[in-house]
Amino acid sequence: MELLNYEILNASGKANKGESPMFSAVTYPAFIDLAFNAPKSVHDVIPVFPENEEVNFEVFASLDGVNFYKFGDRDRIARYIRIFIKYTSGESVTVNNVEVLGESCTFPQKKTTFKEPPVFEGSVYDVPVTDEDIIEDVKGIIARTIGEKYVDGFELRLDRRLKTDYYTVESLRGVVRLISNSGVGLASAFNCYLKEVCKCHVSRFGNRIELPQNLPQVKGKIERHTTFKHRYAYNYCAHSYSMSFWNEKDWQKELDLLAMNGVNMILDITGMEEVYRRFLTKLGYRLREIKNFLTGPSYFAWCYMANITGVGGPLHDNFFYESAELARKNHRRMQVLGIDVVLEAYNGMVPSDIAKKVRDIPTIEQGLWNGLPRPLMIDPASVSYVKYATLFYECQKEVFGDITKFFAGDICHEGGSLKGTNEKDVYMNFVGSLTKFRRDAVVIMQGWGENPTKSFIKYSKPFRDEHVLMLDLFAESRPKSEGRSAPLSKFNYLYGMLNSFGGRMGIHGNIDVLPEKIRQSSKNSNFKGIALTAESNTSDPAVVDLFFSTVWEDIKDTNEWLKSFAERRYGARNENIEKSLEIQLKTALSDKYYNLGEGAPENLICGRPEGRYDKVSSWGNTKFGYNVKEFEDAAKLFLADYDKFKDNECYVYDAVNILRQVISNKIYGIILNMESEYKSKDYFAFLENGKKLLSLADTLDKILLNHKDFTLGEYLGKVEQYANKLDDFTKELYLINAKALITTWYSRPAANPGGLHDYSNRQWGDLVSQFYKVRWEKFIEFVQEEMDGKKPRPIDWFKLEWDWVISDTKYTKKLREDSLKAICKQLID
């Protein structure tokens, strides 16, 4: 046994010589890689960290430098060693030295070749779309939705004589005929048939399909037109808060659903890492450097909005090929269906060491975004920006082809800096580089925060009519398009519904006024359609269904619409359910209580017990405003006929959701009482309410485990499935990505000074009991010690949370089968 010599691999894969400390990083998770000149039999790896620092680390070994496996308790043949630092109590990650014990051995070298996606041109995706392709795709939607045996019962026709989007549904000679000018129109016609003729329901939140042997025939003819030119889907954030680890089947289901709801424009950032790989390679970067610049899968949204860099990585080498192929499959389907793909507009971001790769390139420091480093920006007012933006678009075309004229992006989204530059040239170059690349290009920008800035409004006049489309991101609550002096009054815009922030959960909406708000907005000459701009895919089922229904229907009576929705979703008209919905429409789903904050009122059980209870997350809120007893009446009515509907997955989803809201409302009152009792030192009352709180947490956890969409196991199971065939390091890294995002968001700088902890809080089974409840137990224990005259140590909430993030606890996907009606009775009566 001997001390083995090694080289330290820095970002470029080259050895650092004589540096002290030998490794340092701004924050964790971080890793240091050691390379031997040949495979070695490694017995032990002993890293040396600064004294008095608590460090959580793990050692991995690899033969090819790509796939790393846990070192374990036995000797391992390795060419590379990776030390993965998951936590340190220090200000930064520091490794002073590493001793590696082992011996030389004879073992063949192993090399894994990077699999580069072929260029788009000439690929299987680079073929014209035919009418036969469109018909076959819609037939596939029908087969997946109601079964292959029903496909022949439909006749699908394309007729493009009308300029506006439309569809017709009728029965002829025993066959249901669907006619439209596009695949989206045909899919929408099919959905109309299911909804209005068959009284069936298809959604993200469960399906109810009950059809006789022979398809029901249409009485008369249904004909629908829409003046909404664009029907857009996705906030950047949704790709991370809901879609980080989606596979082809997940995307297929989603595209089916979006097409059936009339969506004809989709933001897709899938595969963008391959675009950046090609772009940065042409700037002189090596693969290892590029992977250190990009983020992990859970953080792509903020990476591509130029908010953060290097967070949650590195990606596995396979990710580039597989993600690009998935994107191409998605884009092909979108093109076939008549959906415009929205790709990335270049916002100028480059790595912080760009000056080492490209000489004389003007850049602007962007500072931090919520405690995390932002990437450097090429000065967008410079000639260099236009040059490299053009290169970026050429790389994007190599990967995805010349498939769209729509590109999404913003300069300095949520902060950043244009200090010292000419803002007129900034915006002329930003849009001008796109139109130079493609003459008819349209940049889609977010009407959010300070956007559009006064300078952009001023300088965008030459191109705003033809080349800019604004998303009025939160139009249902804080519109930027109303009135002549509104920021978006001079731009073509889409009416956005944000509704869901960070995936936070709650019955929350403004169903009573939403159709009228959209109707009024559509009278503006610069209104071009609607946009589902939610930060996640977890909005209330009725809210999403209503929003998309406005594309084809002029909804005047939302109460009647809700009754029809319930009949489709649950399979029958039911007096108790309809009365429940009437109450919900006056309480949680009313516009009167919608504008109290960003997103649904948060459940205080999901927050840190830090003494501030008006919110859980930094930009959230806990205000619900409506009468709690009235809402509980709605819950009792909804559950009254539980035995009749309990086998319906849609009903169970909504039953879990309404009981979840009942408990959230109860917890709000209990915690406010606890706060008051703690301040007044009424410890006995505090502890009694503490017991009630923990008991409600247990009940909530039990309720949530009755539906897969409310479980931690379902969420993490998706990550495990995604990484199933990958190496140990990648599996662990991706799970840390997923668990951190919904709790601390990332490491301490983001969680605490950055204010992102609990931003994406979720009321999920096992997460409530194993994470949120634990924090409150710790706080109650703390108060108990104070009560006993002790001086308890202050609780480091982040450390407690991060220990959960990096733990290897497994969570089951097995569901409970409780009587939700009985639980409702226990909760309310």
Side-chain angles (χ1 to χ4, degrees):
M1 198 73 60
E2 59 181 321
L3 280 174
L4 297 177
N5 292 322
Y6 55 80
E7 290 184 326
I8 306 167
L9 298 185
N10 63 16
S12 65
K14 297 178 181 177
N16 293 321
K17 296 291 186 181
E19 294 187 2
S20 182
M22 64 183 290
F23 175 81
S24 181
V26 174
T27 189
Y28 48 85
F31 66 93
I32 176 174
D33 282 353
L34 315 176
F36 307 121
N37 59 5
K40 306 290 184 181
S41 176
V42 180
H43 176 71
D44 201 3
V45 178
I46 309 167
V48 179
F49 302 104
E51 290 185 12
N52 302 319
E53 284 190 9
E54 179 186 350
V55 181
N56 185 308
F57 71 95
E58 199 163 5
V59 177
F60 297 83
S62 173
L63 280 168
D64 59 6
V66 174
N67 299 292
F68 285 82
Y69 296 93
K70 289 184 180 181
F71 190 78
D73 297 325
R74 59 182 178 81
D75 289 9
R76 208 181 242 288
I77 306 299
R79 173 78 167 77
Y80 303 89
I81 292 293
R82 173 166 290 173
I83 301 169
F84 184 35
I85 299 103
K86 295 186 282 188
Y87 171 79
T88 175
S89 60
E91 292 294 319
S92 62
V93 180
T94 302
V95 182
N96 290 327
N97 189 30
V98 180
E99 292 185 352
V100 183
L101 298 175
E103 56 192 5
S104 299
C105 66
T106 303
F107 199 86
Q109 297 273 11
K110 183 177 181 180
K111 186 176 181 181
T112 299
T113 304
F114 179 80
K115 189 176 184 181
E116 180 175 292
V119 296
F120 181 89
E121 186 176 0
S123 71
V124 294
Y125 307 103
D126 184 22
V127 291
V129 172
T130 66
D131 285 358
E132 289 75 16
D133 292 332
I134 299 170
I135 298 299
E136 285 304 308
D137 197 293
V138 178
K139 284 183 177 179
I141 293 175
I142 295 171
R144 286 187 291 275
T145 305
I146 63 175
E148 186 73 43
K149 67 179 182 179
Y150 290 109
V151 173
D152 290 340
F154 292 88
E155 178 189 341
L156 308 180
R157 285 193 180 185
L158 289 163
D159 187 339
R160 300 183 178 88
R161 285 176 291 181
L162 292 181
K163 292 183 180 180
T164 58
D165 289 341
Y166 79 100
Y167 64 75
T168 63
V169 184
E170 61 183 329
S171 290
L172 292 172
R173 296 179 296 277
V175 173
V176 179
R177 176 184 284 180
L178 310 177
I179 301 176
S180 182
N181 58 334
S182 70
V184 164
L186 290 174
S188 298
F190 168 60
N191 196 29
C192 173
Y193 170 75
L194 288 182
K195 291 166 65 173
E196 298 185 26
V197 179
C198 306
K199 303 298 182 185
C200 293
H201 177 76
V202 180
S203 77
R204 286 172 173 164
F205 318 98
N207 297 344
R208 193 199 65 78
I209 306 293
E210 293 179 12
L211 292 172
Q213 188 66 27
N214 297 314
L215 287 171
Q217 297 302 290
V218 186
K219 294 178 182 179
K221 183 179 182 179
I222 303 171
E223 186 168 356
R224 299 279 162 75
H225 297 256
T226 182
T227 58
F228 296 6
K229 181 178 180 181
H230 302 300
R231 289 88 65 184
Y232 178 99
Y234 296 139
N235 187 310
Y236 267 88
C237 298
H239 283 269
S240 287
Y241 285 131
S242 292
M243 304 154 65
S244 299
F245 297 96
W246 272 15
N247 57 29
E248 186 176 346
K249 188 175 180 180
D250 297 317
W251 267 105
Q252 182 185 67
K253 180 180 177 182
E254 179 76 355
L255 291 178
D256 288 355
L257 182 67
L258 293 179
M260 289 171 65
N261 280 283
V263 171
N264 66 353
M265 179 180 281
I266 293 177
L267 170 67
D268 190 7
I269 62 173
T270 313
M272 283 305 303
E273 47 283 351
E274 173 59 16
V275 175
Y276 275 98
R277 187 193 68 81
R278 289 173 185 256
F279 172 65
L280 293 174
T281 297
K282 291 178 181 180
L283 297 186
Y285 284 89
R286 300 176 65 171
L287 179 60
R288 187 180 178 89
E289 295 173 293
I290 295 167
K291 293 200 298 183
N292 285 346
F293 170 71
L294 296 172
T295 64
S298 289
Y299 301 98
F300 284 158
W302 303 279
C303 175
Y304 300 137
M305 287 191 287
N307 297 141
I308 57 177
T309 178
V311 169
L315 297 170
H316 191 276
D317 284 12
N318 288 2
F319 201 98
F320 295 87
Y321 177 86
E322 292 175 358
S323 187
E325 281 297 293
L326 177 59
R328 288 170 172 178
K329 290 175 182 177
N330 292 345
H331 297 169
R332 175 63 183 177
R333 278 208 71 202
M334 293 179 203
Q335 287 180 288
V336 168
L337 288 165
I339 298 172
D340 287 312
V341 183
V342 181
L343 294 176
E344 181 91 349
Y346 184 56
N347 48 38
M349 71 172 186
V350 286
S352 59
D353 63 348
I354 185 67
K356 295 179 181 179
K357 306 291 183 178
V358 182
R359 295 182 61 185
D360 301 322
I361 187 167
T363 57
I364 305 174
E365 292 281 351
Q366 296 299 295
L368 300 177
W369 180 84
N370 294 307
L372 297 172
R374 298 182 74 124
L376 201 63
M377 177 192 285
I378 299 175
D379 181 353
S382 68
V383 175
S384 292
Y385 170 83
V386 177
K387 174 183 176 181
Y388 292 110
T390 302
L391 177 62
F392 175 87
Y393 294 127
E394 288 170 352
C395 292
Q396 191 163 246
K397 184 178 177 181
E398 281 183 18
V399 180
F400 300 134
D402 187 15
I403 61 170
T404 187
K405 68 177 183 179
F406 295 103
F407 301 83
D410 299 281
I411 295 291
C412 297
H413 173 261
E414 291 192 344
S417 173
L418 291 175
K419 186 177 181 181
T421 193
N422 184 318
E423 290 196 23
K424 179 179 180 180
D425 289 342
V426 166
Y427 297 115
M428 294 298 288
N429 285 349
F430 180 54
V431 182
S433 61
L434 257 176
T435 55
K436 177 184 175 183
F437 173 73
R438 179 166 174 150
R439 187 175 299 176
D440 61 350
V442 177
V443 61
I444 300 176
M445 304 179 72
Q446 300 181 76
W448 178 247
E450 297 301 317
N451 284 348
T453 61
K454 291 181 180 179
S455 59
F456 180 66
I457 294 171
K458 178 180 178 180
Y459 297 129
S460 63
K461 188 174 180 179
F463 47 70
R464 71 163 72 114
D465 291 340
E466 294 182 19
H467 300 294
V468 177
L469 181 62
M470 298 294 300
L471 298 177
D472 195 353
L473 214 68
F474 200 12
E476 87 277 21
S477 181
R478 302 174 192 168
K480 287 176 171 279
S481 52
E482 288 185 4
R484 292 183 178 180
S485 60
L488 299 187
S489 61
K490 301 184 188 319
F491 294 90
N492 293 328
Y493 73 92
L494 302 181
Y495 183 100
M497 184 178 76
L498 188 43
N499 189 265
S500 174
F501 286 78
R504 305 196 295 265
M505 301 158 72
I507 297 179
H508 175 68
N510 57 349
I511 283 180
D512 51 339
V513 301
L514 185 61
E516 178 60 24
K517 285 189 172 187
I518 295 173
R519 186 183 301 111
Q520 289 301 317
S521 189
S522 69
K523 294 177 182 178
N524 297 331
S525 61
N526 53 335
F527 171 93
K528 298 302 175 184
I530 62 171
L532 185 63
T533 51
E535 287 189 351
S536 77
N537 295 345
T538 55
S539 301
D540 188 273
V543 175
V544 176
D545 200 294
L546 177 65
F547 185 70
F548 282 133
S549 293
T550 64
V551 173
W552 305 107
E553 303 173 52
D554 187 16
I555 300 166
K556 298 289 179 63
D557 188 332
T558 52
N559 194 26
E560 283 303 311
W561 180 90
L562 257 183
K563 291 177 182 178
S564 174
F565 168 81
E567 181 182 6
R568 293 185 279 110
R569 188 161 169 81
Y570 311 131
R573 296 291 293 261
N574 180 272
E575 185 178 358
N576 285 320
I577 289 177
E578 289 180 359
K579 287 180 179 178
S580 172
L581 290 173
E582 286 179 11
I583 297 173
Q584 291 182 56
L585 193 58
K586 295 175 183 177
T587 54
L589 295 176
S590 170
D591 188 61
K592 183 178 180 180
Y593 307 107
Y594 191 73
N595 296 310
L596 301 179
E598 292 185 354
E602 297 171 291
N603 188 334
L604 276 173
I605 196 71
C606 301
R608 289 177 176 175
E610 292 184 309
R612 182 176 182 177
Y613 303 120
D614 60 330
K615 61 182 66 176
V616 169
S617 59
S618 294
W619 299 273
N621 71 95
T622 54
K623 306 168 190 171
F624 46 86
Y626 53 81
N627 186 295
V628 171
K629 292 297 182 184
E630 284 187 30
F631 188 83
E632 289 182 352
D633 289 341
K636 287 192 289 185
L637 286 165
F638 192 86
L639 273 298
D641 297 307
Y642 175 77
D643 292 336
K644 184 185 296 184
F645 295 101
K646 66 181 180 180
D647 295 326
N648 178 314
E649 67 169 329
C650 298
Y651 177 81
V652 173
Y653 180 99
D654 294 345
V656 168
N657 200 24
I658 198 168
L659 289 177
R660 180 210 53 72
Q661 190 64 53
V662 166
I663 291 183
S664 177
N665 295 347
K666 285 182 176 293
I667 284 174
Y668 178 79
I670 288 174
I671 290 180
L672 288 189
N673 287 338
M674 291 173 68
E675 177 189 25
S676 174
E677 290 153 1
Y678 179 67
K679 288 179 179 178
S680 64
K681 299 189 183 303
D682 188 352
Y683 290 126
F684 178 78
F686 174 90
L687 294 175
E688 282 300 305
N689 272 315
K691 290 178 183 178
K692 292 178 183 178
L693 175 66
L694 299 181
S695 177
L696 276 177
D698 289 335
T699 303
L700 175 59
D701 202 71
K702 181 166 67 172
I703 291 169
L704 297 170
L705 288 170
N706 277 271
H707 195 287
K708 66 178 180 64
D709 290 345
F710 291 92
T711 66
L712 179 64
E714 181 72 16
Y715 171 72
L716 295 182
K718 181 66 65 179
V719 185
E720 291 167 349
Q721 180 186 23
Y722 191 94
N724 181 47
K725 296 181 180 179
L726 298 176
D727 60 303
D728 293 344
F729 172 77
T730 304
K731 289 177 183 176
E732 188 161 337
L733 182 73
Y734 288 179
L735 279 169
I736 289 174
N737 265 234
K739 293 171 75 176
L741 186 70
I742 61 172
T743 52
T744 63
W745 211 89
Y746 196 56
S747 57
R748 193 182 293 270
N752 287 0
L756 289 173
H757 72 84
D758 296 307
Y759 180 84
S760 184
N761 65 80
R762 311 291 176 99
Q763 294 167 63
W764 282 341
D766 283 336
L767 186 62
V768 169
S769 61
Q770 304 301 314
F771 185 82
Y772 300 130
K773 180 188 173 187
V774 170
R775 290 195 298 204
W776 284 94
E777 286 175 329
K778 290 289 183 184
F779 178 62
I780 292 169
E781 289 172 7
F782 179 92
V783 175
Q784 179 73 65
E785 289 187 32
E786 278 191 335
M787 198 174 119
D788 295 340
K790 300 176 183 177
K791 292 184 178 180
R793 176 183 295 182
I795 301 169
D796 183 344
W797 293 116
F798 174 79
K799 179 60 168 58
L800 180 71
E801 296 155 356
W802 191 252
D803 284 345
W804 180 84
V805 168
I806 62 178
S807 69
D808 57 4
T809 305
K810 299 295 181 183
Y811 298 95
T812 180
K813 293 172 70 176
K814 185 177 180 181
L815 298 179
R816 297 176 62 94
E817 296 180 355
D818 296 295
S819 169
L820 298 179
K821 181 178 181 179
I823 294 176
C824 180
K825 186 175 178 65
Q826 293 168 5
L827 280 172
I828 298 174
D829 291 348

